[in-house]
Amino acid sequence: MPPLPIFMSMNGKITFTMVKPSAHASGYSGKILAKIEEGGFKIIALKLVHLTKEQACMFYDVHIGRPFYEELVNFMSSGPIIAAILQKENAVEDFRKYIGATDPAKAEPGTIRNLYGKNMGENAVHGSDSDENAVREAGFFFSSLERP
Ligand code: CMP
């Protein structure tokens, strides 16, 4: 992934999310975005993108070498996704709790992955796992003209 953008002032107050291809194709994007807002997360940047395989590889480069990497990048480039930057105090941790465990079968009832996920790969949404990655991931998808 490219170097960190000049976006550090929001460090700790933003997270990055994607509605994954299967959830978008199933018509869940509107419901998922509404649920995100209900959870107190403010959408401060938003777009629909169909990633190329190369772009998906770059986004998930931290997982290179993991057994699920090939399947992950094929899936994430299989159809359009919704990408968004969300603002809230303690955004990364709160959003990870709000979406539930990576495996929808283990996600708490009422969480986004519990409601809309199918399996570990098709788990409805992505959520950044650290403040540093939130800044990197937001910078990967949004230029300075497209975000506050
Ligand atoms: P995401 O939050 O987008 O980050 C990496 C993704 O890899 C994860 O969600 C899962 O959808 C996917 N994945 C597939 N298999 C695994 C696995 N065994 N462990 C962790 N992540 C996995």
Side-chain angles (χ1 to χ4, degrees):
M1 216 183 280
L4 289 172
I6 315 161
F7 197 41
M8 298 302 290
S9 61
M10 296 184 101
N11 200 6
K13 299 188 177 77
I14 62 153
T15 191
F16 173 79
T17 189
M18 291 183 280
V19 176
K20 297 193 177 186
S22 53
H24 180 68
S26 298
Y28 296 148
S29 288
K31 288 179 180 139
I32 290 173
L33 291 174
K35 185 147 175 78
I36 286 171
E37 289 186 318
E38 281 162 23
F41 299 88
K42 185 176 176 191
I43 297 169
I44 58 171
L46 184 72
K47 64 168 73 166
L48 185 145
V49 191
H50 190 156
L51 293 172
T52 63
K53 185 168 177 183
E54 289 68 28
Q55 289 166 335
C57 285
M58 254 193 283
F59 182 84
Y60 280 113
D61 62 3
V62 66
H63 294 304
I64 289 175
R66 307 279 289 273
F68 57 86
Y69 180 69
E70 186 71 17
E71 188 183 328
L72 174 63
V73 298
N74 282 335
F75 168 58
M76 290 304 295
S77 56
S78 67
I81 56 109
I82 304 274
I85 306 175
L86 309 176
Q87 187 177 18
K88 187 182 184 295
E89 290 297 326
N90 204 34
V92 166
E93 197 185 332
D94 286 2
F95 191 65
R96 283 172 72 79
K97 273 190 207 141
Y98 196 63
I99 63 180
T102 307
D103 182 352
K106 295 180 184 154
E108 289 284 316
T111 58
I112 293 177
R113 283 172 167 161
N114 166 262
L115 290 170
Y116 301 110
K118 288 187 201 163
N119 53 51
M120 189 82 116
E122 298 184 29
N123 60 355
V125 288
H126 168 80
S128 305
D129 64 2
S130 66
D131 290 337
E132 187 186 358
N133 281 339
V135 170
R136 280 183 190 280
E137 292 171 3
F140 183 86
F141 275 90
F142 294 96
S143 75
S144 56
L145 292 175
E146 297 171 319
R147 68 193 187 209

